Amino acid sequence: MAAPRAREARGHRDHRRVPSEEEALEKWDWDRAETRRLFEDAFFRDEDYIRQGSEDCHKFWAFFERLQRFQSLQTSRKEEKDPRHPKHRIPALADLPHTYDPRYRINLSVLGPDMRDTGRGSRLPPKRVSEFRRALLHYLDFGQKQAFGRLAKLQRERAALPIAQYGDCILQTLKQHQVVVVAGDTGCGKSTQVPQYLLAAGFSHVACTQPRRIACISLAKRVGFESLSQYGSQVGYQIRFESTRSAATKIVFLTVGLLLRQIQREPSLPQYKVLIVDEVHERQLHSDFLLGVLQRLLPTRPDLKVVLMSATINIALFSSYFGNAPVVQVPGRLFPITVIYQPQEAEQTASKSEKLDPRPFLRVLEAIDNKYAAEERGDLLVFLSGMAEIGAVLEAAQTYASRTQRWVVLPLHSALSVADQDKVFDVAPPGVRKCILSTNIAETSVTIEGIRFVVDSGKVKEMSYDPQAKLQRLQEFWISQASAEQRKGRAGRTGPGVCYRLYAESDYDAFAPYPVPEIRRVALDALVLQMKSMSVGDPRTFPFIEPPPPASLETAIQYLRDQGALDASEALTPIGCLLAQLPVDVVIGKMLILGSMFSLAEPVLTIAAALSVQSPFTRSAQSSLECAAARRPLESDQGDPFTLFNVFNAWVQVKAERSRNSRKWCRRRGVEEHRLYEMANLRRQFKELLEDHGLLAGAQEATPGDSYSRLQQRLERRALHQLKRQHEEGAGRRRKVLRLQEEADDGSSDEDRAGPAARRADDSVDIQDVKFKLRHNLEQLQAAASSAQALTREQLLLLKLVLARGLYPQLAVPDPFNSGRKDSDQIFHTQAKQGAVLHPTSVFASSPEVLHTEEPPATGAGGSRDDKDKMSSKHQLLAFVSLLETNKLYLVNCVRVPALQSLLLFSRSLDTNGDCSRLVADGWLELQLVDSEGAVRLLGAALRLRARWESALDRQLSHQAWQQQRQRRQRLEEDEEEAAPISRTEVAALSRELLQFMATKVPCSLRRLTGLEAQNLYVGPQTVTATPSLPGLFGSSTLSPHPTKGGYSVTDFLTYNCLSSDTDLYSDCLRTFWTCPRCDLHLPLTPLERVAHESACAAGLDGGPGAEEAAPEQPQKPSALQRPYRCDACHRDFLFTPTEALRHRRQHM
Amino acid sequence: MASEAERRPLGVFECQLCGLTAPYSYVGQKPPNTQSVVLLEESYVMKDPFSPDRDRFLVLGAQCSVCGRLVCVGPECSLFYSKRFCLPCVRENLGAFPAEIRQDLEKRKAPPSMRSSGRACPGT
């Protein structure tokens, strides 16, 4: 029996079985864990097909039990012996076993311990071993049949797709032409099959672009699955933060934006041989641009093949754009759909209610309940214009559902978490229908099976763009006929369907045939920037498939010039080059660059990331007092970006303290954790970009010193990887059966929505958390978060300055009467728009008083001024990230900044009167200062700071450009002289002075000019040729009369004395006695002369003590300040700077 | 890794009856990466595409031991009874098989063809 050594090892177990074999057989119990383990030890070793403890192992035992039961029913089967046949003439048939045994039907065999002769299993009773082996064979055979069945089913389904008949045709056409248009309606299978036909035909280096990231992932998975390389690497995807691409990848799904960036790097796109551009009919901005780029690229890459895939919309447009490219048109697979027009009576016009009336939608639910038996399956898909509308219908429909118990109501829009979006794919229990309330996301991007009924509201909310106001508007529009058909088609994918249109047939006839292409609806800044960096020439003459409105282009170009990304000749500036490489809004890109200069990269990275994703604050939490209270400690009265900054940092800390559950933490504060993950991803990407561009020193891997903690870290990472793998293996997400909403009245609450998702995830791991920890260095993040808490007041102020400079000119001025208004009625004005309000999520919406100038009006001059023009040193402006118009005009993501200093530092245009006590910034904001002397001093300081800041930034950027060039050329010796980076001490000095400047308290009034005032602002060009007696005001620049405004341009932004006003006519010749604090010069001077002296005097002092007296005698470098000067007293000619002239004059006094 | 190379398809298996196609990566009786399982016929094998486990295999088909046609293991095309037989050959030689097989066969239907007819191309 058992080998002696085995007996020693398992002595006590063997005892039980010692008595006799028969007894053991009788008492044999397969269900005993011990028995099973013995067999597992023998058959399911690590090197065996099934491993002990694996999922397969559990499945086997379940199978085993079923088989045992089945066989016990059949034991009485008679051993029928076949009559002996004569030997068959065909040899293969001659030696068939004549006694039938199911075992002969199995084409494989398992080696067991008895055959291996290792001794381990030889203790097992042979009869039991054969029983086990037999079961194992059946199990393996069953597994083979199951897998093959799936494979065959997959192939059948693929073959049954409408496009399957056109596969060869597409390949053949592509062989003969460079461009092929494949047009087919949803459901024909083009997106999944065409890539596979190309793969099967031996193509490699195939890129397939998708308008949306989510489609890249799901298509790569689907195509990988269908092409049977699900776990191989032939099929991959590449999106902003993730890539599954490897050397073996033959086809990659990527976003259009990403492909454009690849073209930006390598214009001839050498890494691809075939490009599939999917969903071209959607006419997305990037997709339109890509078509233009391709049209130009194709002649230079005759070997590059292009497949355009489109719905059957406007196909001729695409074909003709590519020289009448051949079109392969594939019919869709649609069942007949009945269209019912149910125009809404004008019942809600009376009350100007903001909420959508849900009654017409409920009527459809009722109609379905009345007309169709509950057993007849088929779900309902309702198209609504936006989230608010979904909310309104959701509430009413859930009440109805809880009454009838026949519906499960689910919302679907892009702001939902992925887990909640996934719920629409779950199935309803028998007798219950799903009612999915969706935005137009379900029109093309998300396909839900089993839809039989569609309700089409006929409306869509889209961003529209007002180029004049640079304003994004979320507006409701009627959809196009193409969209209406698309929506209708969703009802006929699995069987005949019904489409209820909540508008009249005449309305339908009046719809536009196609949706307005995005290029005609949105801001083109980013596009123009990208075009410039790709050197495709003048955007105005670029051969777009349909050109954008010229006004939009001009606005974008002007905006980029204002932002300093383009120079006067519309060429990219160094900062523009950098901005073009950052896949973010220009404003955010500027912040990143500015922040890195002031060594504020870490906090700016977080803020930039926070401002680039959707607000993490959930809507419903807005009304929850608990959430608001929990969130309060994180709020910053400096502005929303700082609140977001705090939220992110606090979240990172929660993540780092292992004991706490970040998901719960988020839910309690009404924060959508998904957005925070996005922030973390984006932050990392920004960081890498800054490092790549030499703006941020690459972080040294912070490896813990001792080997123990290194090991610890490695182990941790391995465990995380394991978790992730396990999750992915089990990730063939099964459809779940939805539950009827028990507490339906409460159904719209976020807590409730988060509930099932959380429950589902809680029984496994928080995979987001695992991915997060794998992707990010939590210690680094935590260090950044901790250092954020330790930011000094000065650093915070500097950070604010960086934000403000980045955001400029997006400024709003509070209405002067705000302090007398309710919190919710605070009004703000921007240059182009009046009467904007704070977004309800803004910190200032709940505490607007921090924006008021509580100070009593300063006493002093200006008695004639309006009361509202309060003199105060506390005037503030709001710098905002975006302006959004829905039912109101909202300022989104605001920071408060001191008005006077910010305008002096940032304005593109500053105009003054004669004594500089009146300043107008950018032609719309007027500042009046009591003290003209102070005003002049402040102005002078601003000029100097701006010049220094600008030059520091220039040097930083040119140094960076130089480094990049060096990297590119890889030749150190022959390079031109290195552009020196800006030194730390210099930056420190600059920041110190900037902070000093910001801290100055100068009372002034702040006023938005009226339209009429703005029109008559300037004195206009003057015929007087006399230049002011003191040229070279404000440093070294030369004065020249301003051609349109009048007065004199001092710098490219400052125009002196051009404001028209009665008093101003004299002010420039009004001299008052003044003593220079530096050189004790005492003279009657005009303000202009005073400032000129001051700046020259300060410059003189820099030369060292005693320079004042020595200066005239010193052989000086020729200065731009010097002008011929003829002294009337001594009748001699000099070449003097203004200060020298003053000194000279003093001699004669 | 070696597994990457082993997984590379050797060719495309095509069933001569139903037209099912799939890339195979091994032909023989000892599928790679498994020691404990042997196949009882010369089989066309691929890595099981539905399992993340890289040593899971899937038998696609084998030659009919009577006529030599390459057939898939699908129940509409072939059966195994100590050897592989395509259904047409089984039907022709029904008498050689035990009653269980004969009964079993009556339940089966003819294979659905997967071959596409193809469509005319646009004027080229």
Side-chain angles (χ1 to χ4, degrees):
Chain A
M1 269 202 62
R5 56 192 160 106
R7 185 180 285 165
E8 272 158 33
R10 305 169 192 256
H12 69 284
R13 276 190 212 165
D14 282 15
H15 264 299
R16 299 202 185 119
R17 235 175 292 113
V18 163
S20 82
E21 181 132 328
E22 265 141 69
E23 199 185 347
L25 279 177
E26 256 164 53
K27 287 190 176 169
W28 192 262
D29 182 3
W30 279 113
D31 291 340
R32 271 181 49 179
E34 238 170 83
T35 316
R36 291 191 175 188
R37 195 166 324 113
L38 278 176
F39 278 89
E40 285 175 11
D41 283 345
F43 283 88
F44 298 165
R45 302 162 310 156
D46 276 353
E47 63 268 34
D48 282 328
Y49 202 64
I50 294 175
R51 279 174 211 96
Q52 201 162 18
S54 67
E55 210 191 328
D56 233 5
C57 176
H58 297 300
K59 277 192 197 159
F60 165 76
W61 286 113
F63 179 87
F64 184 85
E65 284 161 28
R66 264 182 288 141
L67 191 71
Q68 294 284 94
R69 256 176 278 138
F70 176 73
Q71 281 178 340
S72 70
L73 294 175
Q74 299 219 320
T75 37
S76 57
R77 203 171 59 101
K78 53 188 182 293
E79 290 272 308
E80 171 219 328
K81 287 248 172 195
D82 256 321
R84 200 97 189 126
H85 282 277
K87 280 250 177 202
H88 206 282
R89 58 183 168 82
I90 300 173
L93 296 167
D95 53 351
L96 288 183
H98 288 289
T99 312
Y100 179 81
D101 190 303
R103 172 183 51 189
Y104 299 134
R105 305 284 303 263
I106 298 174
N107 63 345
L108 41 80
S109 167
V110 178
L111 301 175
D114 40 347
M115 296 181 182
R116 280 198 302 266
D117 190 35
T118 53
R120 206 168 356 153
S122 47
R123 278 173 298 106
L124 302 170
K127 195 174 167 201
R128 296 302 174 193
V129 170
S130 72
E131 205 177 326
F132 181 88
R133 185 196 302 285
R134 200 181 167 90
L136 186 53
L137 279 179
H138 278 291
Y139 176 73
L140 293 178
D141 186 50
F142 172 73
Q144 287 288 316
K145 289 209 165 80
Q146 217 178 20
F148 186 83
R150 279 179 86 181
L151 178 76
K153 182 169 173 251
L154 198 69
Q155 305 283 57
R156 267 199 307 277
E157 282 171 356
R158 283 188 61 198
L161 284 169
I163 197 156
Q165 317 231 315
Y166 295 83
D168 290 338
C169 168
I170 292 168
L171 290 170
Q172 205 185 315
T173 317
L174 197 60
K175 218 174 275 171
Q176 290 160 0
H177 297 86
Q178 195 171 13
V179 182
V180 175
V181 181
V182 175
D185 283 320
T186 340
C188 79
K190 59 183 185 305
S191 299
T192 54
Q193 302 306 304
V194 172
Q196 292 185 67
Y197 300 154
L198 292 172
L199 269 186
F203 284 99
S204 62
H205 302 94
V206 182
C208 179
T209 70
Q210 293 293 325
R212 279 163 294 271
R213 273 186 270 168
I214 187 95
C216 295
I217 302 174
S218 60
L219 276 173
K221 281 190 180 152
R222 184 69 206 169
V223 171
F225 177 74
E226 285 190 11
S227 64
L228 308 175
S229 71
Q230 188 177 11
Y231 300 99
S233 41
Q234 280 192 28
V235 185
Y237 67 86
Q238 201 175 0
I239 57 173
R240 193 149 74 164
F241 301 123
E242 279 179 74
S243 169
T244 61
R245 206 173 168 171
S246 71
T249 307
K250 288 187 174 167
I251 179 160
V252 63
F253 290 88
L254 74 178
T255 54
V256 182
L258 209 58
L259 183 72
L260 281 171
R261 294 208 171 270
Q262 292 177 354
I263 299 179
Q264 195 170 338
R265 276 196 298 274
E266 289 180 290
S268 69
L269 216 50
Q271 70 263 51
Y272 299 119
K273 293 180 183 155
V274 186
L275 276 183
I276 305 175
V277 187
D278 202 356
E279 317 279 15
V280 285
H281 65 276
E282 285 190 17
R283 304 296 311 276
Q284 291 208 339
L285 183 63
H286 279 131
S287 166
D288 267 12
F289 177 48
L290 176 63
L291 292 185
V293 172
L294 288 180
Q295 200 210 36
R296 285 191 165 183
L297 172 65
L298 287 180
T300 65
R301 279 282 314 269
D303 58 318
L304 181 71
K305 299 282 187 183
V306 174
V307 182
L308 303 179
M309 302 212 285
S310 157
T312 49
I313 297 174
N314 221 351
I315 309 164
L317 178 71
F318 302 109
S319 171
S320 65
Y321 186 60
F322 285 97
N324 292 320
V327 177
V328 179
Q329 191 157 353
V330 183
R333 187 174 50 181
L334 271 192
F335 294 91
I337 299 160
T338 317
V339 177
I340 300 172
Y341 287 97
Q342 283 188 350
Q344 301 177 60
E345 311 86 72
E347 48 196 338
Q348 72 244 70
T349 43
S351 65
K352 201 194 128 238
S353 64
E354 282 177 21
K355 252 184 156 184
L356 176 84
D357 180 9
R359 282 172 297 177
F361 298 91
L362 289 186
R363 258 175 257 148
V364 175
L365 292 187
E366 277 173 341
I368 293 171
D369 282 343
N370 293 334
K371 202 167 167 191
Y372 302 92
E375 304 80 58
E376 279 181 43
R377 297 219 69 136
D379 298 322
L380 168 67
L381 176 60
V382 182
F383 286 101
L384 292 154
S385 58
M387 275 158 62
E389 289 69 22
I390 288 176
V393 178
L394 186 73
E395 216 178 293
Q398 267 173 349
T399 315
Y400 177 78
S402 68
R403 187 154 51 80
T404 60
Q405 297 285 305
R406 284 177 68 173
W407 293 91
V408 176
V409 190
L410 300 167
L412 176 62
H413 50 79
S414 56
L416 284 180
S417 68
V418 180
D420 284 340
Q421 285 189 12
D422 271 352
K423 278 168 80 181
V424 302
F425 300 110
D426 292 340
V427 289
V432 176
R433 296 177 200 283
K434 271 191 294 185
C435 167
I436 297 161
L437 307 174
S438 173
T439 57
N440 59 346
I441 189 176
E443 207 173 289
T444 49
S445 5
V446 179
T447 300
I448 306 154
E449 295 301 325
I451 299 294
R452 181 176 171 191
F453 308 99
V454 163
V455 177
D456 178 10
S457 65
K459 301 280 178 62
V460 67
K461 261 192 201 154
E462 267 176 349
M463 280 292 177
S464 69
Y465 177 63
D466 176 349
Q468 262 65 52
K470 262 200 85 60
L471 166 72
Q472 302 252 0
R473 255 196 216 110
L474 190 63
Q475 274 183 314
E476 203 175 66
F477 298 99
W478 283 111
I479 57 173
S480 65
Q481 289 178 353
S483 293
E485 288 306 294
Q486 195 76 36
R487 289 178 176 193
K488 180 184 100 182
R490 295 277 143 172
R493 290 173 61 83
T494 37
V498 186
C499 175
Y500 299 87
R501 288 181 167 161
L502 302 186
Y503 44 87
E505 193 162 5
S506 56
D507 292 331
Y508 175 85
D509 293 335
F511 288 173
Y514 310 114
V516 180
E518 198 178 3
I519 202 166
R520 294 175 177 268
R521 290 192 278 117
V522 299
L524 302 177
D525 319 333
L527 180 70
V528 170
L529 197 57
Q530 191 166 26
M531 294 180 79
K532 286 288 176 188
S533 75
M534 287 170 72
S535 321
V536 295
D538 189 347
R540 297 175 188 88
T541 56
F542 185 80
F544 284 107
I545 188 161
E546 279 178 315
S552 273
L553 267 184
E554 294 305 329
T555 316
I557 292 168
Q558 187 56 47
Y559 176 76
L560 291 173
R561 273 164 62 173
D562 286 350
Q563 291 285 3
L566 295 180
D567 63 19
S569 65
E570 293 179 14
L572 275 185
T573 61
I575 203 168
C577 281
L578 198 50
L579 286 172
Q581 291 167 60
L582 300 174
V584 285
D585 203 80
V586 173
V587 163
I588 310 254
K590 265 169 68 191
M591 280 181 202
L592 286 171
I593 297 170
L594 291 168
S596 65
M597 195 183 94
F598 285 114
S599 314
L600 288 169
E602 293 290 339
V604 169
L605 280 169
T606 306
I607 292 181
L611 297 180
S612 305
V613 305
Q614 277 183 41
S615 167
F617 299 124
T618 53
R619 278 171 140 252
S620 47
Q622 224 56 57
S623 48
S624 151
L625 288 174
E626 264 174 68
C627 280
R631 216 187 269 169
R632 195 147 303 132
L634 298 170
E635 283 176 358
S636 161
D637 74 355
Q638 294 299 317
D640 307 311
F642 291 93
T643 303
L644 292 171
F645 182 58
N646 293 341
V647 169
F648 184 81
N649 289 329
W651 176 72
V652 168
Q653 298 288 9
V654 169
K655 282 260 177 216
E657 295 164 30
R658 270 140 245 253
S659 51
R660 290 164 72 191
N661 182 340
S662 68
R663 190 158 41 191
K664 208 189 273 170
W665 185 89
C666 285
R667 215 179 305 149
R668 192 159 295 152
R669 283 155 188 79
V671 172
E672 173 69 74
E673 191 172 26
H674 184 64
R675 305 277 167 242
L676 298 178
Y677 285 119
E678 284 182 350
M679 278 183 213
N681 289 340
L682 206 52
R683 186 184 191 281
R684 178 182 151 151
Q685 197 197 15
F686 290 169
K687 191 170 181 180
E688 285 167 359
L689 278 165
L690 289 186
E691 284 168 5
D692 284 355
H693 293 97
L695 286 174
L696 191 63
Q700 294 86 22
E701 269 304 309
T703 39
D706 59 309
S707 59
Y708 173 73
S709 49
R710 266 203 306 272
L711 178 74
Q712 203 64 17
Q713 230 176 29
R714 235 186 356 256
L715 287 177
E716 234 163 73
R717 283 191 80 75
R718 195 179 301 162
L720 286 170
H721 270 297
Q722 176 106 28
L723 274 174
K724 184 171 174 231
R725 222 173 9 251
Q726 277 172 6
H727 176 85
E728 276 163 5
E729 283 171 20
R733 185 181 173 279
R734 285 277 178 92
R735 287 193 188 178
K736 309 213 168 170
V737 175
L738 290 161
R739 298 199 309 184
L740 272 175
Q741 218 97 17
E742 289 97 357
E743 324 93 302
D745 336 27
D746 199 27
S748 60
S749 95
D750 198 62
E751 200 61 29
D752 187 59
R753 266 196 277 137
R759 219 183 309 126
R760 179 183 302 159
D762 274 344
D763 35 66
S764 60
V765 283
D766 182 351
I767 189 64
Q768 291 298 331
D769 184 63
V770 172
K771 280 190 184 167
F772 171 82
K773 284 177 179 154
L774 277 175
R775 189 174 295 154
H776 302 283
N777 184 334
L778 192 53
E779 272 172 40
Q780 267 181 23
L781 269 180
Q782 195 194 4
S786 305
S787 69
Q789 278 162 347
L791 279 183
T792 61
R793 221 183 77 83
E794 283 74 33
Q795 283 173 307
L796 267 178
L797 284 174
L798 211 52
L799 188 57
K800 202 157 105 170
L801 200 62
V802 165
L803 294 194
R805 177 154 180 197
L807 291 174
Y808 172 87
Q810 287 156 206
L811 293 173
V813 59
D815 188 85
F817 298 109
N818 271 355
S819 53
R821 289 196 178 99
K822 278 197 304 186
D823 281 7
S824 54
D825 291 347
Q826 305 284 311
I827 299 177
F828 300 83
H829 312 290
T830 73
Q831 187 168 8
K833 286 275 169 182
Q834 297 201 44
V837 296
L838 293 163
H839 198 265
T841 55
S842 174
V843 61
F844 300 122
S846 48
S847 50
E849 61 282 352
V850 296
L851 298 173
H852 299 157
T853 52
E854 316 99 299
E855 255 185 1
T859 49
S864 64
R865 287 194 184 93
D866 285 352
D867 277 351
K868 59 178 182 174
D869 298 341
K870 263 188 265 177
M871 280 293 173
S872 165
S873 60
K874 293 197 172 174
H875 279 296
Q876 295 180 91
L877 298 172
L878 282 183
F880 57 89
V881 175
S882 56
L883 201 57
L884 176 76
E885 187 170 301
T886 55
N887 51 348
K888 285 180 188 162
L889 183 64
Y890 289 110
L891 298 171
V892 183
N893 282 329
C894 303
V895 188
R896 62 186 169 100
V897 293
L900 176 64
Q901 291 89 337
S902 304
L903 290 173
L904 287 177
L905 281 182
F906 307 138
S907 294
R908 287 268 133 210
S909 139
L910 267 179
D911 305 310
T912 76
N913 63 354
D915 66 354
C916 301
S917 65
R918 185 167 167 247
L919 298 165
V920 172
D922 292 319
W924 73 291
L925 286 174
E926 181 197 70
L927 295 153
Q928 301 236 30
L929 290 88
V930 191
D931 168 19
S932 89
E933 224 171 87
V936 169
R937 212 175 306 125
L938 204 60
L939 194 58
L943 283 181
R944 280 193 298 277
L945 279 173
R946 282 178 75 142
R948 280 174 57 191
W949 195 351
E950 217 51 52
S951 96
L953 198 57
D954 276 353
R955 264 182 296 160
Q956 174 90 350
L957 289 170
S958 56
H959 172 68
Q960 167 266 328
W962 176 86
Q963 274 190 325
Q964 280 223 306
Q965 242 170 25
R966 195 182 62 173
Q967 274 175 7
R968 228 167 274 149
R969 290 196 212 144
Q970 307 234 314
R971 278 183 315 165
L972 269 158
E973 318 77 38
E974 289 181 43
D975 261 335
E976 65 266 53
E977 203 184 331
E978 170 173 359
I982 179 156
S983 75
R984 285 197 160 272
T985 48
E986 220 173 322
V987 172
L990 175 60
S991 9
R992 205 167 44 242
E993 282 176 50
L994 278 170
L995 288 174
Q996 266 170 17
F997 179 75
M998 293 308 272
T1000 49
K1001 288 208 182 311
V1002 181
C1004 66
S1005 71
L1006 173 67
R1007 195 168 67 91
R1008 180 182 202 275
L1009 293 178
T1010 64
L1012 201 64
E1013 282 174 310
Q1015 269 173 32
N1016 303 305
L1017 196 55
Y1018 303 115
V1019 288
Q1022 300 293 294
T1023 44
V1024 194
T1025 46
T1027 47
S1029 50
L1030 292 173
L1033 173 77
F1034 307 123
S1036 56
S1037 46
T1038 42
L1039 277 190
S1040 60
H1042 194 283
T1044 53
K1045 293 179 179 176
Y1048 298 90
S1049 338
V1050 182
T1051 64
D1052 57 345
F1053 58 88
L1054 181 66
T1055 312
Y1056 169 73
N1057 202 14
C1058 62
L1059 295 176
S1060 67
S1061 153
D1062 296 342
T1063 49
D1064 286 348
L1065 291 176
Y1066 312 105
S1067 60
D1068 60 332
C1069 38
L1070 285 179
R1071 289 199 163 84
T1072 46
F1073 271 98
W1074 178 74
T1075 313
C1076 172
R1078 281 206 171 99
C1079 66
D1080 292 330
L1081 172 92
H1082 186 72
L1083 272 181
L1085 297 175
T1086 66
L1088 196 65
E1089 291 165 339
R1090 217 180 290 152
V1091 174
H1093 170 80
E1094 264 205 312
S1095 62
C1097 189
L1101 267 186
D1102 287 344
E1108 182 204 336
E1109 288 309 318
E1113 277 80 42
Q1114 267 178 4
Q1116 285 191 326
K1117 310 180 247 175
S1119 157
L1121 284 175
Q1122 287 175 333
R1123 291 283 181 281
Y1125 175 78
R1126 184 173 171 83
C1127 178
D1128 294 335
C1130 61
H1131 305 289
R1132 279 163 61 190
D1133 288 307
F1134 298 97
L1135 201 61
F1136 272 165
T1137 68
T1139 325
E1140 288 160 359
L1142 279 172
R1143 286 205 195 94
H1144 179 83
R1145 253 197 285 176
R1146 192 158 59 143
Q1147 295 176 345
H1148 298 299
M1149 286 167 78
Chain B
M1 286 290 288
S3 63
E4 198 59 48
E6 281 167 35
R7 214 184 289 154
R8 204 152 289 154
L10 294 173
V12 174
F13 170 88
E14 180 169 358
C15 173
Q16 290 182 285
L17 287 176
C18 71
L20 174 129
T21 57
Y24 65 90
S25 52
Y26 171 79
V27 187
Q29 296 191 302
K30 277 210 58 69
N33 299 323
T34 44
Q35 290 151 23
S36 54
V37 180
V38 286
L39 302 175
L40 302 179
E41 57 182 337
E42 285 279 308
S43 312
Y44 285 76
V45 176
M46 77 183 294
K47 189 213 150 291
D48 182 352
F50 308 109
S51 164
D53 223 336
R54 63 185 180 87
D55 52 9
R56 290 285 127 138
F57 61 84
L58 173 61
V59 177
L60 293 167
Q63 283 192 326
C64 169
S65 50
V66 177
C67 66
R69 262 190 289 209
L70 198 54
V71 287
C72 74
V73 298
E76 286 93 18
C77 294
S78 72
L79 61 77
F80 187 82
Y81 185 67
S82 86
K83 295 189 189 68
R84 177 72 47 191
F85 299 102
C86 73
L87 291 201
C89 283
V90 179
R91 289 205 174 89
E92 247 171 63
N93 303 287
L94 264 186
F97 291 91
E100 283 84 352
I101 302 277
R102 294 201 296 271
Q103 284 161 17
D104 194 30
L105 206 63
E106 279 163 28
K107 296 180 212 155
R108 299 193 186 182
K109 44 186 197 314
S113 176
M114 287 188 183
R115 286 179 193 154
S116 60
S117 50
R119 288 289 172 115
C121 271
T124 48

